[in-house]
């Protein structure tokens, strides 16, 4: 058997992209609540009232200007406000996941359901109660929860009051939130992740045409605080329940040299260091890598570090290593090469690969490559917690959705997982992103669909929210039923 006994099969979601109910039961806002819908060629906008009191917008990845206050403005559509209405429909969704045979579902807690502003002393009991209902339903359906504590939904209240992760006090607020969650769900949740795609903090700077040293300084400092928070949460989780297992989560985009020019090969190596290993080394090995000095000196960074930080990092290494995989990227020192923007980063266009409408390279073997590099470096169990194809599905007149391209994508990637397992990589699970259509993080669209369950909801805000099984639903059910022996 290629896939070991007990291998976890399932899918992955994020609260901010599916729950909706953005102002119900005391939930506070996070940044995506102020982001509009975009598309493959137009960025999502973030909307605000500027320092002079005028309404304004900026591309989401650039963020609002200094002194602006995020605001919902008339005339814009904010897709995360309703998501796919999972806050009210989670039971039906979990039953559908169970029908596919899921043994694990990754979901995130919406931080602002528990701590609406981020700095309250006590968690909101209505938020705590909601996730109790969700976990109870999952256990009744035989599905183990894997919970991400932070998945793109920092409280806006904290950002406004302190500047968020740039401020060291945020560590304590985050640990308080994690403690509240881990104590409340002790015995119901055993598997935890701290920060989703923590390394985006650096790779996002690749999207800026002229990132300044100041931008790098801020990113490195924010990360230092997140590493400390993550390490403290790992230690805390083990104290609260020795059964708890805590993982890191990185954006697992492998980086190729576009040519065999030695300068490109070195550039690719350095990009791995900056965009992947910088974060993963701290979380998995408990200390900054030697190359961190070079990265800091490139941007004149002098981290604000306090006595005891090194010990905290060393005492909070993760139990397992998780990552998302969608695509590979390529770097070159040759300025005239065509560029594409993919998952939170910019890449040279790889002539050997096909690209989706959204510019994401399709590269199944990149998954095996990433797994082998990561396992070789960290030697702790790996879990693939996001992998899938965002595509524009059509519902036929008879109500069916024929998504053979998604089946082909997942099939080809699972073949590579099989190969990595055969090569000795200890991989303990595969969770698809996302088992049900939800709001795209990058574009804000519903049109960019990942699910094996179609959701009748559209980019103009219309639709009934009805759930429809796509062809991939049955295919994945067979894959899980045979523990990966029948990939079709
Ligand atoms: C990952 C994120 O980057 O990619 C998810 O963890 C996100 O939140 C997923 O949805 C796919 O990206 P997108 O932009 O297509 O939604």
């Amino acid at each position: 058997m290629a896939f070991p006994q007990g291998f976890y099969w399932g899918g992955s979601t994020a609260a901010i992209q599916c729950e909706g109910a953005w102002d119900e039961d005391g939930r506070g806002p996070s940044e995506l609540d102020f982001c509009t819908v975009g598309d493959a060629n137009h960025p999502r906008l973030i909307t605000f009232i500027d320092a002079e009191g005028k309404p304004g917008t900026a591309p989401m990845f650039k963020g609002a200007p200094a002194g602006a206050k995020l605001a919902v403005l008339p005339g814009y559509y904010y897709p995360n406000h309703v998501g796919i209405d999972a806050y009210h429909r989670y039971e039906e969704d979990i039953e559908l996941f169970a029908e596919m045979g899921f043994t694990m579902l990754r979901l995130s807690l919406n931080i602002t359901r528990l701590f609406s502003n981020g700095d309250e002393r006590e968690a909101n009991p209505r938020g705590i109660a909601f996730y109790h209902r969700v976990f109870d339903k999952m256990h009744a359906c035989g599905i183990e929860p894997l919970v991400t504590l932070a998945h793109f939904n920092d409280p806006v209240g904290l950002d406004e009051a302190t500047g968020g992760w740039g401020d060291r006090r945020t560590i304590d607020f985050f640990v308080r939130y994690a403690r509240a969650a881990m104590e409340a769900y002790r015995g119901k949740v055993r598997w935890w992740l701290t920060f989703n795609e923590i390394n985006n903090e650096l790779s996002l700077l690749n999207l800026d045409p002229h990132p300044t040293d100041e931008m790098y300084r801020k990113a490195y400092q924010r990360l230092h605080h997140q590493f400390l928070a993550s390490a403290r949460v790992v230690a805390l989780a083990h104290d609260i329940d020795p059964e708890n297992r805590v993982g890191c989560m990185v954006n697992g985009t492998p980086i190729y040299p576009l040519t065999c020019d030695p300068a490109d090969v070195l550039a690719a190596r350095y990009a791995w260091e900056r965009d992947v290993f910088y974060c993963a080394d701290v979380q998995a090995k408990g200390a900054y890598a030697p190359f961190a000095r070079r990265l800091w000196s490139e941007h004149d960074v002098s981290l604000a570090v306090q006595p005891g930080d090194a010990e905290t990092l060393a005492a909070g290494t993760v139990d397992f290593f998780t990552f998302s995989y969608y695509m590979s990227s390529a770097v070159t020192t040759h300025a005239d090469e065509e560029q594409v923007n993919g998952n939170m980063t910019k890449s040279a266009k790889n002539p050997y690969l096909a690209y989706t409408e959204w510019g994401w390279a399709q590269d199944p073997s990149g998954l095996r490559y990433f797994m082998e590099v990561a396992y070789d470096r960290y030697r702790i169990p790996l879990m693939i917690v996001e992998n899938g194809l965002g595509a524009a599905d059509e519902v036929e007149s008879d109500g069916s959705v024929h998504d053979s391209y998604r089946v082909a994508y997942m099939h080809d990637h699972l073949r590579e997982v099989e190969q990595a397992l055969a090569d000795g990589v200890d991989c303990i699970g595969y969770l698809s992103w996302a088992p049900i259509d939800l709001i795209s993080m990058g574009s804000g669209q519903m049109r960019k669909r990942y699910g094996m369950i179609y959701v009748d909801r559209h980019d103009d805000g219309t639709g009934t929210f009805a759930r429809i099984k796509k062809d991939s639903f049955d295919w994945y059910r067979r894959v899980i039923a045979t523990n990966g022996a029948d990939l079709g």
Side-chain angles (χ1 to χ4, degrees), residues 312-369:
T312 301
L313 296 179
T317 54
V318 291
D319 304 310
F320 63 113
F321 178 100
T322 82
F323 62 99
S324 58
Y325 179 80
Y326 294 93
M327 47 171 257
S328 56
S329 72
V331 295
T332 182
T333 54
H334 302 256
D336 48 351
E337 294 295 342
E338 195 183 341
Q339 300 281 319
V340 278
N341 287 349
N343 187 12
M344 314 277 179
T345 192
K346 187 192 277 170
S347 165
K349 191 159 189 179
N350 185 332
Y352 298 98
L353 300 177
Y355 285 79
T356 71
E357 174 186 335
W358 288 270
W360 295 34
Q362 299 201 41
D363 178 12
S365 63
L367 174 54
R368 185 200 325 178
Y369 183 52

Coordinates of all heavy atoms in Angstrom, one line a residue, residues 312-369:
T312 N 13.0 30.9 24.3 CA 11.5 30.6 24.0 C 11.4 29.9 22.7 O 10.6 29.0 22.5 CB 10.8 32.0 23.9 OG1 10.9 32.6 25.2 CG2 9.3 31.8 23.6
L313 N 12.2 30.4 21.7 CA 12.1 29.8 20.4 C 12.6 28.3 20.4 O 11.9 27.4 19.8 CB 12.9 30.5 19.3 CG 12.5 32.0 19.0 CD1 13.5 32.6 18.0 CD2 11.1 32.0 18.5
A314 N 13.6 28.1 21.2 CA 14.2 26.7 21.3 C 13.2 25.8 22.0 O 13.2 24.6 21.7 CB 15.5 26.8 22.0
A315 N 12.4 26.3 22.9 CA 11.5 25.4 23.7 C 10.2 25.2 23.0 O 9.3 24.5 23.5 CB 11.3 26.1 25.0
G316 N 10.0 25.8 21.8 CA 8.6 25.7 21.2 C 8.7 25.2 19.8 O 8.0 25.7 18.9
T317 N 9.5 24.2 19.5 CA 9.5 23.7 18.1 C 8.3 22.8 17.9 O 7.8 22.2 18.8 CB 10.8 22.8 17.9 OG1 10.9 21.8 18.9 CG2 12.1 23.7 17.9
V318 N 7.9 22.8 16.6 CA 6.6 22.2 16.3 C 6.8 20.7 16.2 O 7.9 20.1 16.0 CB 6.1 22.7 14.9 CG1 5.6 24.2 15.1 CG2 7.1 22.6 13.8
D319 N 5.6 20.0 16.3 CA 5.6 18.5 16.3 C 5.5 18.0 14.9 O 5.9 16.8 14.6 CB 4.4 18.0 17.1 CG 4.3 18.5 18.5 OD1 5.4 18.4 19.2 OD2 3.3 19.1 18.9
F320 N 4.9 18.8 14.0 CA 4.8 18.3 12.6 C 4.9 19.5 11.7 O 4.7 20.7 12.1 CB 3.6 17.4 12.4 CG 2.3 18.1 12.6 CD1 1.4 18.3 11.5 CD2 1.9 18.4 13.9 CE1 0.2 18.9 11.7 CE2 0.6 19.0 14.1 CZ -0.2 19.2 13.0
F321 N 5.1 19.3 10.4 CA 5.4 20.3 9.5 C 4.3 20.3 8.4 O 4.1 19.2 7.8 CB 6.7 20.1 8.8 CG 7.1 21.1 7.7 CD1 8.0 22.1 8.0 CD2 6.6 21.0 6.4 CE1 8.4 23.0 7.0 CE2 7.0 21.9 5.4 CZ 7.9 22.9 5.7
T322 N 3.5 21.4 8.3 CA 2.5 21.3 7.3 C 2.7 22.5 6.3 O 3.4 23.5 6.5 CB 1.0 21.5 7.9 OG1 0.8 22.9 8.1 CG2 0.9 20.7 9.1
F323 N 2.1 22.3 5.1 CA 2.3 23.3 4.0 C 1.1 23.2 3.0 O 0.4 22.2 3.0 CB 3.6 23.1 3.3 CG 3.7 21.7 2.6 CD1 3.5 21.6 1.3 CD2 4.0 20.6 3.4 CE1 3.6 20.4 0.6 CE2 4.1 19.3 2.7 CZ 3.9 19.3 1.4
S324 N 1.0 24.3 2.3 CA 0.1 24.3 1.1 C 0.9 24.1 -0.1 O 2.1 24.5 -0.1 CB -0.6 25.7 1.0 OG 0.4 26.7 0.9
Y325 N 0.4 23.4 -1.1 CA 1.1 23.3 -2.4 C 0.1 23.5 -3.5 O -0.9 22.8 -3.6 CB 1.8 22.0 -2.5 CG 2.4 22.0 -3.9 CD1 3.7 22.6 -4.1 CD2 1.8 21.4 -5.0 CE1 4.3 22.7 -5.3 CE2 2.4 21.5 -6.3 CZ 3.6 22.1 -6.4 OH 4.2 22.2 -7.7
Y326 N 0.4 24.5 -4.3 CA -0.5 24.8 -5.5 C 0.4 24.8 -6.7 O -0.1 24.4 -7.8 CB -1.2 26.1 -5.4 CG -2.2 26.2 -4.3 CD1 -1.8 26.6 -3.0 CD2 -3.5 25.7 -4.5 CE1 -2.8 26.6 -2.0 CE2 -4.4 25.7 -3.4 CZ -4.1 26.2 -2.2 OH -5.0 26.2 -1.2
M327 N 1.6 25.3 -6.6 CA 2.4 25.7 -7.8 C 3.8 25.8 -7.5 O 4.2 25.9 -6.3 CB 1.9 27.0 -8.4 CG 1.8 28.1 -7.3 SD 1.4 29.7 -7.9 CE 3.1 30.4 -7.7
S328 N 4.7 25.8 -8.5 CA 6.1 26.2 -8.3 C 6.3 27.6 -8.8 O 5.4 28.1 -9.5 CB 7.0 25.2 -9.0 OG 6.7 25.2 -10.4
S329 N 7.4 28.2 -8.5 CA 7.8 29.5 -9.1 C 9.2 29.4 -9.6 O 9.9 28.4 -9.4 CB 7.6 30.6 -8.1 OG 8.6 30.5 -7.1
A330 N 9.7 30.4 -10.3 CA 11.0 30.4 -10.8 C 11.6 31.8 -10.7 O 10.9 32.8 -10.8 CB 11.0 30.0 -12.3
V331 N 12.9 31.8 -10.5 CA 13.6 33.1 -10.4 C 14.7 33.2 -11.4 O 15.2 32.2 -11.8 CB 14.2 33.4 -9.0 CG1 13.1 33.5 -7.9 CG2 15.2 32.4 -8.6
T332 N 15.0 34.4 -11.8 CA 16.1 34.6 -12.8 C 16.7 36.0 -12.5 O 16.0 36.9 -12.0 CB 15.5 34.6 -14.2 OG1 16.7 34.7 -15.1 CG2 14.5 35.6 -14.5
T333 N 18.0 36.1 -12.9 CA 18.6 37.4 -12.8 C 18.5 38.1 -14.1 O 19.1 39.2 -14.3 CB 20.1 37.2 -12.4 OG1 20.7 36.2 -13.4 CG2 20.3 36.6 -11.0
H334 N 17.9 37.5 -15.1 CA 17.8 38.1 -16.4 C 16.5 38.9 -16.4 O 15.4 38.4 -16.4 CB 17.7 37.0 -17.5 CG 19.0 36.1 -17.4 ND1 20.0 36.3 -18.3 CD2 19.4 35.2 -16.5 CE1 21.0 35.4 -18.0 NE2 20.6 34.8 -16.9
A335 N 16.6 40.2 -16.5 CA 15.5 41.1 -16.2 C 14.4 41.0 -17.3 O 13.3 41.4 -17.0 CB 16.1 42.5 -16.2
D336 N 14.7 40.6 -18.5 CA 13.7 40.7 -19.6 C 12.7 39.5 -19.6 O 11.9 39.4 -20.5 CB 14.4 40.8 -20.9 CG 15.5 39.8 -21.1 OD1 15.8 39.1 -20.1 OD2 16.0 39.6 -22.2
E337 N 12.8 38.6 -18.6 CA 11.9 37.4 -18.7 C 10.5 37.8 -18.2 O 10.3 38.7 -17.4 CB 12.4 36.3 -17.7 CG 13.7 35.7 -18.2 CD 13.6 34.9 -19.5 OE1 12.5 34.6 -19.9 OE2 14.7 34.7 -20.1
E338 N 9.5 37.1 -18.8 CA 8.1 37.4 -18.5 C 7.8 37.0 -17.1 O 8.3 35.9 -16.6 CB 7.2 36.6 -19.5 CG 5.8 37.1 -19.4 CD 4.8 36.3 -20.3 OE1 5.4 35.6 -21.2 OE2 3.6 36.4 -20.1
Q339 N 7.1 37.8 -16.4 CA 6.7 37.5 -14.9 C 5.2 37.2 -14.8 O 4.4 37.6 -15.6 CB 7.0 38.8 -14.1 CG 8.4 39.3 -14.1 CD 9.3 38.4 -13.2 OE1 9.0 38.1 -12.1 NE2 10.5 38.2 -13.7
V340 N 4.9 36.3 -13.8 CA 3.5 36.0 -13.5 C 3.4 36.2 -12.0 O 4.3 35.8 -11.2 CB 3.1 34.6 -13.9 CG1 2.7 34.6 -15.4 CG2 4.1 33.6 -13.6
N341 N 2.2 36.6 -11.6 CA 1.9 36.6 -10.1 C 1.1 35.4 -9.8 O 0.0 35.1 -10.4 CB 1.0 37.8 -9.8 CG 1.8 39.1 -9.9 OD1 3.0 39.1 -9.9 ND2 1.1 40.2 -9.8
G342 N 1.6 34.6 -8.8 CA 0.8 33.4 -8.4 C 0.4 33.6 -7.0 O 0.2 34.6 -6.5
N343 N 0.5 32.5 -6.3 CA 0.1 32.4 -4.9 C 1.0 33.3 -4.0 O 2.0 32.8 -3.5 CB 0.1 30.9 -4.4 CG -0.5 30.8 -3.1 OD1 -1.1 31.7 -2.5 ND2 -0.3 29.6 -2.5
M344 N 0.6 34.5 -3.8 CA 1.2 35.4 -2.9 C 2.7 35.8 -3.2 O 3.5 36.2 -2.4 CB 1.3 34.9 -1.4 CG 0.0 34.3 -0.9 SD -1.0 35.6 -0.3 CE -2.4 34.6 0.1
T345 N 3.0 35.5 -4.5 CA 4.4 35.8 -4.8 C 4.5 36.1 -6.3 O 3.5 35.8 -7.1 CB 5.4 34.7 -4.4 OG1 6.7 35.2 -4.5 CG2 5.2 33.4 -5.2
K346 N 5.6 36.6 -6.8 CA 5.8 36.8 -8.2 C 6.9 35.8 -8.7 O 7.8 35.4 -8.0 CB 6.4 38.2 -8.4 CG 6.5 38.6 -9.8 CD 7.2 39.9 -10.0 CE 6.3 41.1 -9.8 NZ 7.1 42.3 -9.7
S347 N 6.7 35.4 -10.0 CA 7.6 34.4 -10.5 C 7.9 34.7 -11.9 O 7.2 35.3 -12.6 CB 6.9 33.0 -10.4 OG 7.5 32.1 -11.2
A348 N 9.1 34.2 -12.4 CA 9.4 34.2 -13.8 C 8.5 33.1 -14.4 O 8.2 32.1 -13.8 CB 10.8 34.0 -14.1
K349 N 8.1 33.4 -15.7 CA 7.2 32.4 -16.3 C 8.0 31.2 -16.8 O 9.0 31.3 -17.5 CB 6.4 33.0 -17.5 CG 5.3 32.2 -18.0 CD 4.3 33.0 -18.7 CE 3.1 32.1 -19.0 NZ 2.1 32.8 -19.7
N350 N 7.6 30.0 -16.3 CA 8.3 28.8 -16.6 C 7.8 28.2 -17.9 O 6.6 27.8 -18.0 CB 8.1 27.8 -15.5 CG 8.9 26.5 -15.6 OD1 9.2 26.1 -16.7 ND2 9.2 25.9 -14.5
P351 N 8.6 28.1 -19.0 CA 8.2 27.7 -20.3 C 7.7 26.3 -20.3 O 7.1 25.9 -21.3 CB 9.4 28.0 -21.2 CG 10.6 27.9 -20.3 CD 10.1 28.4 -19.0
Y352 N 8.0 25.5 -19.3 CA 7.7 24.1 -19.3 C 6.3 23.8 -18.7 O 5.9 22.6 -18.7 CB 8.8 23.2 -18.6 CG 10.1 23.4 -19.3 CD1 11.1 24.3 -18.8 CD2 10.4 22.6 -20.4 CE1 12.3 24.4 -19.5 CE2 11.6 22.8 -21.1 CZ 12.6 23.7 -20.6 OH 13.8 23.8 -21.2
L353 N 5.7 24.8 -18.1 CA 4.5 24.6 -17.4 C 3.3 25.3 -18.0 O 3.5 26.4 -18.6 CB 4.7 25.0 -15.9 CG 5.8 24.3 -15.1 CD1 5.9 24.9 -13.7 CD2 5.5 22.8 -15.0
A354 N 2.1 24.8 -17.8 CA 0.9 25.5 -18.1 C 0.4 26.3 -16.9 O 0.7 26.0 -15.8 CB -0.2 24.4 -18.5
Y355 N -0.3 27.4 -17.2 CA -0.8 28.3 -16.2 C -2.3 28.4 -16.2 O -2.9 28.3 -17.2 CB -0.1 29.7 -16.4 CG 1.3 29.7 -16.0 CD1 2.3 29.2 -16.8 CD2 1.7 30.2 -14.7 CE1 3.6 29.2 -16.5 CE2 3.1 30.2 -14.4 CZ 4.0 29.7 -15.2 OH 5.3 29.7 -14.8
T356 N -2.9 28.5 -15.0 CA -4.3 28.7 -14.9 C -4.6 30.2 -15.3 O -3.7 31.0 -15.4 CB -4.9 28.5 -13.5 OG1 -4.5 29.5 -12.7 CG2 -4.4 27.1 -13.0
E357 N -5.9 30.4 -15.4 CA -6.4 31.8 -15.7 C -5.9 32.8 -14.7 O -5.7 34.0 -15.0 CB -8.0 31.7 -15.7 CG -8.7 33.1 -15.8 CD -10.2 32.9 -15.6 OE1 -10.7 31.8 -15.8 OE2 -10.8 33.9 -15.2
W358 N -5.6 32.3 -13.5 CA -5.1 33.2 -12.5 C -3.6 33.3 -12.4 O -3.0 33.8 -11.4 CB -5.7 32.8 -11.1 CG -7.2 33.2 -11.0 CD1 -7.7 34.4 -10.6 CD2 -8.3 32.4 -11.5 NE1 -9.1 34.3 -10.7 CE2 -9.4 33.1 -11.3 CE3 -8.4 31.1 -12.0 CZ2 -10.7 32.7 -11.6 CZ3 -9.7 30.6 -12.4 CH2 -10.8 31.4 -12.1
G359 N -2.9 32.6 -13.4 CA -1.4 32.7 -13.4 C -0.7 31.7 -12.5 O 0.4 32.0 -12.2
W360 N -1.4 30.7 -12.1 CA -0.8 29.7 -11.2 C -0.3 28.6 -12.0 O -1.0 27.9 -12.8 CB -1.8 29.2 -10.1 CG -2.3 30.3 -9.1 CD1 -2.5 31.6 -9.4 CD2 -2.6 30.1 -7.8 NE1 -2.9 32.3 -8.3 CE2 -3.0 31.4 -7.3 CE3 -2.6 29.0 -6.9 CZ2 -3.4 31.6 -6.0 CZ3 -3.0 29.2 -5.6 CH2 -3.4 30.5 -5.1
A361 N 1.0 28.3 -11.8 CA 1.7 27.2 -12.6 C 1.1 25.8 -12.2 O 0.9 25.6 -11.0 CB 3.2 27.2 -12.4
Q362 N 0.9 25.0 -13.1 CA 0.5 23.6 -12.8 C 1.7 22.7 -12.9 O 2.2 22.4 -14.0 CB -0.6 23.2 -13.8 CG -1.8 24.1 -13.7 CD -3.1 23.5 -14.2 OE1 -3.3 22.3 -14.0 NE2 -3.8 24.2 -14.9
D363 N 2.1 22.1 -11.7 CA 3.3 21.4 -11.7 C 3.2 20.4 -10.6 O 3.7 20.5 -9.5 CB 4.4 22.5 -11.3 CG 5.8 21.8 -11.2 OD1 5.9 20.6 -11.5 OD2 6.7 22.5 -10.7
P364 N 2.6 19.2 -10.9 CA 2.5 18.2 -9.9 C 3.8 17.7 -9.3 O 4.0 17.5 -8.1 CB 1.8 17.0 -10.6 CG 1.2 17.6 -11.8 CD 2.0 18.9 -12.2
S365 N 4.9 17.6 -10.1 CA 6.1 17.1 -9.5 C 6.8 18.1 -8.6 O 7.6 17.7 -7.7 CB 7.1 16.7 -10.6 OG 7.5 17.9 -11.4
G366 N 6.4 19.3 -8.6 CA 6.8 20.3 -7.7 C 6.4 19.9 -6.2 O 7.1 20.3 -5.3
L367 N 5.3 19.2 -6.1 CA 4.8 18.8 -4.8 C 5.8 17.8 -4.2 O 6.2 17.9 -3.1 CB 3.4 18.2 -4.9 CG 2.8 17.6 -3.6 CD1 2.9 18.5 -2.5 CD2 1.4 17.1 -3.9
R368 N 6.2 16.8 -5.1 CA 7.1 15.8 -4.6 C 8.5 16.5 -4.2 O 9.1 16.2 -3.2 CB 7.4 14.8 -5.7 CG 8.3 13.6 -5.2 CD 9.0 12.8 -6.2 NE 8.3 12.5 -7.4 CZ 8.8 11.8 -8.4 NH1 10.0 11.3 -8.3 NH2 8.1 11.6 -9.5
Y369 N 8.9 17.4 -5.1 CA 10.1 18.1 -4.8 C 10.1 18.8 -3.5 O 11.0 18.7 -2.7 CB 10.4 19.1 -6.0 CG 11.7 19.8 -6.0 CD1 12.9 19.2 -5.8 CD2 11.7 21.2 -6.1 CE1 14.1 19.9 -5.8 CE2 12.9 21.9 -6.1 CZ 14.0 21.3 -5.9 OH 15.2 22.0 -5.9

